[in-house]
Amino acid sequence: MHDSAYIGGIELGGTKTVLAIGNCAGTILRRHTVPTRDPAAVIADACAFFNQSSLRIDALGVGAFGPVVVDPKAPDFGHLLDTNKPGWSGFNLMGALAQGIAAPARLVTDVGAAAIAEQRLGALRDVDIGVYLTIGTGIGGAIVSNGELLPALLHPEMGHIALHRLAHDRAPSTCAFHDDCAEGLVAGPAIMARFGASLDHFMPDSAEFALVADYLGQLCSNLVLTLSPQRIVLGGGVGLAPGLTSAVQQSMVRQLGVYGPRATAQTGYLCPPAWAQDAGVIGAMLCAAGAVSSTAAVRV
Ligand SMILES: [Zn+2]
């Protein structure tokens, strides 16, 4: 793709959808945010934004909430799977976009797009393999290696890894499917349900903070043991709570014990994202810019 091409990006989030037009370097030139409502309304907004702009896009990158079929070879590519978001279960997202926007498109998850942005331009830029973990309304994760997401059967669902419950913890899980998964124990809704307030209402030396750090430390230690990433980024509304990153790292190192590589104890092994905003839509644009000439690109 020539360097002067314009690239479209869509970050389809649970509460808002970010639409952007930028260049191959990931610089945003036009940007518009709409609330995520029913699929028809969001698709209409996206088509109007891209089709009425004076900047004609040559490719479109989409970072969508999951679960979503991201494998371009799958017969149901681009469809949302069962989700609690009204109207979105089974929706053919990429088919609907193709009807209204004439540009080759690539689909990744929202967290996958953010991970791409962090590896090409941000906190994971100097590592070969990194993990991006977002802890907010849910817990999601992505693995990037040398600038690309690892190929996957569906996409990682790190938030649903089972953890060891602390002996005194009797709080019910907020995950509809699991009693002891990370998302059900310490995603934003779980923290609200068990403490009656979000994590930033608690001091880093509080018991509430320690419980959250313990569980997230377990999650990160599992990721270290299975993927051996060179760095883990903690993002999302919960993940960015002041003091949480260092508390989770201490918990992770303690739980890894002798199996923890020395680097995992160094400052910055766990770190916040470099892109506090727009990582998803920038990553989506970068995916599209890099994919048009590759086998991962799909003309829709
Ligand atoms: Zn779960």
Side-chain angles (χ1 to χ4, degrees):
M1 178 166 292
H2 54 99
D3 290 344
S4 58
Y6 294 119
I7 308 294
I10 299 176
E11 180 185 359
L12 179 67
T15 55
K16 66 173 183 174
T17 296
V18 183
L19 309 166
I21 299 174
N23 60 25
C24 290
T27 302
I28 294 176
L29 304 170
R30 303 275 194 279
R31 185 185 189 285
H32 183 51
T33 301
V34 298
T36 300
R37 294 101 70 209
D38 62 282
V42 174
I43 296 297
D45 286 340
C47 292
F49 174 77
F50 291 112
N51 292 332
Q52 293 171 13
S53 173
S54 58
L55 306 180
R56 309 301 294 175
I57 61 171
D58 297 291
L60 176 67
V62 182
F65 59 72
V68 60
V69 181
V70 294
D71 178 0
K73 297 187 289 296
D76 52 353
F77 166 71
H79 286 65
L80 274 295
L81 302 179
D82 282 345
T83 168
N84 57 11
K85 297 176 179 66
W88 288 92
S89 292
F91 179 65
N92 183 358
L93 172 66
M94 298 307 278
L97 288 170
Q99 297 271 319
I101 301 169
R106 187 181 179 193
L107 172 67
V108 294
T109 61
D110 47 2
V111 64
I116 288 287
E118 290 295 339
Q119 185 156 52
R120 297 203 193 165
L121 302 172
L124 297 172
R125 192 168 39 186
D126 58 339
V127 302
D128 298 317
I129 180 166
V131 167
Y132 187 104
L133 199 56
T134 179
I135 305 130
T137 308
I139 296 181
I143 309 148
V144 284
S145 177
N146 297 310
E148 290 290 339
L149 298 171
L150 281 194
L153 182 63
L154 177 61
H155 47 71
E157 287 284 9
M158 300 171 190
H160 296 279
I161 290 175
L163 305 179
H164 290 292
R165 262 188 190 263
L166 299 179
H168 60 278
D169 182 19
R170 300 280 185 270
S173 167
T174 57
C175 175
F177 306 103
H178 310 114
D179 292 333
D180 302 304
C181 74
E183 183 169 304
L185 293 174
V186 287
I191 291 172
M192 283 298 295
R194 62 165 70 240
F195 299 141
S198 58
L199 189 62
D200 50 11
H201 286 78
F202 299 97
M203 299 297 290
D205 60 354
S206 66
E208 291 87 351
F209 212 90
L211 179 141
V212 174
D214 187 285
Y215 283 137
L216 292 176
Q218 286 190 42
L219 178 56
C220 289
S221 81
N222 282 333
L223 297 175
V224 169
L225 294 171
T226 50
L227 300 167
S228 202
Q230 291 158 313
R231 188 170 300 142
I232 299 174
V233 172
L234 283 191
V238 175
L240 294 172
L244 185 64
T245 300
S246 61
V248 172
Q249 187 170 355
Q250 288 172 29
S251 163
M252 176 195 73
V253 168
R254 186 177 68 249
Q255 295 177 65
L256 282 168
V258 297
Y259 292 102
R262 228 178 311 172
T264 60
Q266 293 174 357
T267 302
Y269 181 78
L270 256 63
C271 70
W275 294 90
Q277 280 192 324
D278 289 335
V281 76
I282 290 170
M285 290 192 304
L286 292 172
C287 286
V292 168
S293 60
S294 80
T295 55
V298 175
R299 182 168 286 276
V300 291

